[in-house]
Amino acid sequence: MDHKPLSTRESWLALEAHYQNIRNTHLRDLFRADPMRGERMACEAAGLYLDYSKNRITAETMHLLLALAEECGLRERIEAMFRGDKINITENRAVLHTALRARRDQHIYVDGADVVSEVHAVLECMSAFSSRVRQGDWKGYTGKRIRNIVNIGIGGSDLGPVMAYEALRHYSDPALIFRFVSNVDGTDLSEAVRGLQADETLFIVSSKTFTTLETMTNAHSARQWLLRSLHDEAAIARHFVAVSTNEAEVRRFGIDSANMFGFWDWVGGRYSMDSAIGLSTMLAVGPDNFQAMLSGFHAMDEHFRTALFDRNLPVILGLLAVWYADFFGSQTVAVLPYDQYLKRFPAYLQQLAMESNGKHIALDGSIVDYPTGAIYWGEPGTNGQHSFYQLIHQGTRLIPCDFLGFFNTLNPLDNHHNLLMANVFAQAEALAFGKSADDVRKEGTPEWLVPHRTFEGNRPSNVILADRLTPETLGKLVALYEHSVFTQGVIWDIDSFDQWGVELGKVLAQRIVPELANPEVTLTHDSSTNTLIHLYNTRHSTH
Ligand code: G6Q
């Protein structure tokens, strides 16, 4: 691998020169020049269709981006990740979320142990437990079956489970109620348990470390809530299970280690929804659907690992993200799922992309001299069209968009799906080609209004389509983005798998907590923080 700084590499310099040539080229002209562009710049793999023709690229751009991937050693880095090398260098850890969905007959070793057999052993425990709860065989303390499941976790131990629950709601057991608690704001837990019967409620405490302030605070309060109704510590074992890597802390909390579902330090929080952190998902949709989701992940893993880069969906998506972030200076990517079930998908991607690639230090410890991770955001279509799309169409910023849609809906209702998908195609078309001043004039618009009603177009987008939203498709979509994020991190030469910014936040609040509990303490922060704490201590009433 070439260790020259990214911005001095041959392919990077070639891309800079190329960008100057095509930065003003309009998508209208690119499509006019190549009538087959919409077919040529598309790729279908593992059941996902990616149309990337409405990007501000030429065949030359793709050629140079692919050369950049080669020069940055992407192929070797993919192999290293799948093999279990400790590519998370700042934490000296392997990065093996791909092992979570490996087939039973595969072997992947970390420090001499075959992790695939460990993964399947945990999956079996999860399946057995889920089946008992779903069939009503797992009884609560008073002998009643479980009807409510509350997942307590935050960050990677929450966003994946929430997103997957919403995404797969169609497949969820309607007899079970699911709630998710993440915020240390007492409102979150209070609202989550409102109306629930304690003796029918199961809490899943999901925390890799089992020391996270928010999760442990919520777990302790949930425990008190339960004991207020059931009055016996023995009830805890029937109503609390844990998902964690920290058996000692789980036991200290009072959860029987027989009711703990483990995972490993080589699973990053934001890459953990298909580990035991997905227990709530499995309880909702059942072991078979969970397994189908894992198969979807695996299919995309295999595609990413084996496909040529010019036909490789995550590689293409990742390289395009680099193209806009580093050459066009785009700061954000809008993710626009045209499926109500994917309403939490943008929030999930936000963590996946921004916690992974929000870094400014290269692997060798130097400060990067190019932009890294873009800001991911979005809302489901068509709602976004009636709010923020205005800025995407006519604002001053270039915002590449990913449209996600399905050929078939899970809820056929009159003409709804055709209307929904017509909007996907129309939006991508309007962003790319706009509406010229002449066209606006032809509609009889008065001259003073023409500039306001003109759309310059040339706004890039990808359209990603799949048959329908099944558990398998969800696995493929998530893996698509996981590997796109990985591709970007490799190009940017950063560690996409640590999160020191999150760790700092975990420590800082702990320092102020005792100062809020004890107004007498001498405050030694800056004058702003001191005043704010003082104000809080004076005005906060303890009742
Ligand atoms: C994810 C991050 C972070 C983490 C949470 C929860 O990649 O590491 O979001 O998932 O801070 O941590 P625990 O699971 O340890 O409670």
Side-chain angles (χ1 to χ4, degrees):
M1 182 180 147
D2 189 340
H3 283 288
K4 278 202 294 204
L6 175 60
S7 52
T8 64
R9 288 182 190 163
E10 207 177 303
S11 50
W12 186 268
L13 297 172
L15 276 161
E16 274 179 346
H18 171 71
Y19 168 71
Q20 293 306 330
N21 290 335
I22 75 150
R23 55 196 284 253
N24 293 320
T25 306
H26 202 290
L27 281 165
R28 281 186 210 127
D29 299 320
L30 293 173
F31 271 83
R32 208 173 292 130
D34 176 7
M36 299 293 287
R37 183 178 167 99
E39 287 154 62
R40 226 190 291 282
M41 287 191 170
C43 186
E44 186 160 17
L48 299 187
Y49 181 87
L50 167 67
D51 173 359
Y52 61 98
S53 64
K54 295 196 193 75
N55 281 289
R56 290 171 66 170
I57 53 170
T58 60
E60 173 70 1
T61 321
M62 283 315 291
H63 173 74
L64 292 173
L65 285 170
L66 293 165
L68 177 69
E70 297 295 349
E71 198 178 346
C72 294
L74 179 59
R75 178 69 64 201
E76 297 90 274
R77 295 292 300 283
I78 293 173
E79 283 306 320
M81 175 171 73
F82 276 81
R83 198 166 51 222
D85 288 8
K86 297 193 172 168
I87 62 166
N88 176 358
I89 58 159
T90 72
E91 296 181 309
N92 191 30
R93 286 177 181 168
V95 174
L96 270 177
H97 42 280
T98 50
L100 297 170
R101 52 262 192 161
R103 282 190 328 265
R104 194 181 285 273
D105 58 357
Q106 287 181 252
H107 300 285
I108 303 167
Y109 296 93
V110 175
D111 298 330
D114 180 10
V115 298
V116 180
S117 58
E118 292 178 30
V119 165
H120 282 271
V122 173
L123 278 172
E124 273 162 30
C125 294
M126 289 167 64
S127 300
F129 175 72
S130 301
S131 299
R132 286 179 72 194
V133 173
R134 286 164 60 84
Q135 287 157 12
D137 296 338
W138 174 280
K139 302 282 190 239
Y141 176 70
T142 62
K144 288 195 191 163
R145 63 167 295 177
I146 297 297
R147 301 208 173 272
N148 318 309
I149 292 162
V150 182
N151 186 74
I152 301 177
I154 195 164
S157 302
D158 168 70
L159 286 160
V162 176
M163 183 278 287
Y165 172 68
E166 292 295 344
L168 301 180
R169 225 179 159 131
H170 184 78
Y171 304 88
S172 181
D173 183 344
L176 293 172
I177 290 173
F178 286 83
R179 305 233 168 121
F180 297 84
V181 178
S182 53
N183 200 330
V184 73
D185 181 344
T187 299
D188 206 8
L189 178 65
S190 306
E191 288 295 339
V193 296
R194 189 189 294 278
L196 303 186
Q197 295 298 318
D199 60 353
E200 297 179 339
T201 301
L202 176 76
F203 290 96
I204 307 173
V205 186
S206 296
S207 176
K208 182 172 168 180
T209 54
F210 229 73
T211 55
T212 303
L213 173 91
E214 292 88 339
T215 301
M216 296 328 295
T217 307
N218 278 322
H220 281 284
S221 298
R223 192 180 203 279
Q224 281 164 15
W225 175 83
L226 188 97
L227 290 175
R228 272 200 296 279
S229 298
L230 301 181
H231 311 290
D232 185 352
E233 289 279 335
I236 300 300
R238 307 304 306 162
H239 294 272
F240 277 82
V241 297
V243 178
S244 187
T245 57
N246 189 343
E247 193 174 335
E249 283 298 324
V250 168
R251 260 197 262 113
R252 205 191 319 274
F253 182 86
I255 296 176
D256 189 341
S257 45
N259 299 335
M260 166 177 156
F261 302 88
F263 60 118
W264 308 269
D265 73 357
W266 42 261
V267 184
R270 55 195 173 276
Y271 296 88
S272 66
M273 60 169 276
D274 46 350
S275 71
I277 289 290
L279 184 62
S280 58
T281 314
M282 193 190 269
L283 282 160
V285 303
D288 291 349
N289 279 322
F290 194 84
Q291 190 53 56
M293 183 180 81
L294 295 183
S295 306
F297 271 103
H298 182 71
M300 185 52 69
D301 292 344
E302 285 301 292
H303 166 69
F304 180 54
R305 198 174 65 78
T306 59
L308 293 175
F309 285 170
D310 63 352
R311 311 292 301 159
N312 195 313
L313 303 186
V315 171
I316 294 171
L317 267 193
L319 291 174
L320 288 170
V322 170
W323 175 235
Y324 291 114
D326 292 279
F327 297 93
F328 281 86
S330 294
Q331 301 211 337
T332 83
V333 174
V335 182
L336 308 164
Y338 278 65
D339 189 300
Q340 190 61 20
Y341 285 125
L342 289 180
K343 66 181 181 186
R344 295 295 289 165
F345 196 64
Y348 173 78
L349 276 192
Q350 215 155 49
Q351 183 192 23
L352 181 67
M354 291 164 72
E355 208 168 75
S356 297
N357 288 338
K359 317 278 164 70
H360 71 287
I361 301 296
L363 291 177
D364 67 2
S366 62
I367 298 177
V368 302
D369 60 357
Y370 41 84
T372 61
I375 298 158
Y376 278 68
W377 60 287
E379 280 288 323
T382 57
N383 301 13
Q385 289 174 214
H386 296 266
S387 65
F388 55 78
Y389 278 39
Q390 166 63 36
L391 187 148
I392 306 179
H393 279 289
Q394 287 190 307
T396 53
R397 295 165 202 281
L398 187 74
I399 301 179
C401 300
D402 285 358
F403 291 95
L404 310 180
F406 296 92
F407 297 115
N408 295 293
T409 175
L410 296 171
N411 293 296
L413 193 61
D414 300 328
N415 202 25
H416 285 234
H417 195 63
N418 289 345
L419 289 174
L420 178 72
M421 292 307 291
N423 275 284
V424 175
F425 305 136
Q427 288 296 324
E429 187 178 32
L431 286 168
F433 305 111
K435 191 172 185 182
S436 71
D438 280 348
D439 286 343
V440 176
R441 277 190 199 101
K442 275 186 210 139
E443 290 172 351
T445 306
E447 198 54 32
W448 67 271
L449 198 52
V450 169
H452 297 277
R453 300 191 57 181
T454 300
F455 290 71
E456 66 181 8
N458 217 12
R459 317 234 161 179
S461 66
N462 292 304
V463 177
I464 299 165
L465 299 172
D467 180 32
R468 72 184 69 226
L469 181 52
T470 60
E472 196 177 351
T473 308
L474 180 68
K476 290 173 182 174
L477 273 176
V478 174
L480 170 69
Y481 278 95
E482 283 178 347
H483 298 321
S484 161
V485 164
F486 176 75
T487 299
Q488 295 166 45
V490 169
I491 304 295
W492 287 323
D493 200 25
I494 53 180
D495 188 337
S496 299
F497 301 102
D498 60 13
Q499 56 282 314
W500 296 104
V502 179
E503 311 301 334
L504 176 69
K506 288 186 178 184
V507 174
L508 286 184
Q510 292 289 14
R511 192 177 143 209
I512 295 182
V513 171
E515 297 173 344
L516 298 189
N518 174 11
E520 302 306 314
V521 82
T522 312
L523 299 172
T524 56
H525 304 269
D526 59 276
S527 62
S528 164
T529 311
N530 284 348
T531 309
L532 292 170
I533 294 174
H534 178 70
L535 202 62
Y536 179 83
N537 283 340
T538 352
R539 300 200 187 172
H540 173 73
S541 62
T542 43
H543 36 243

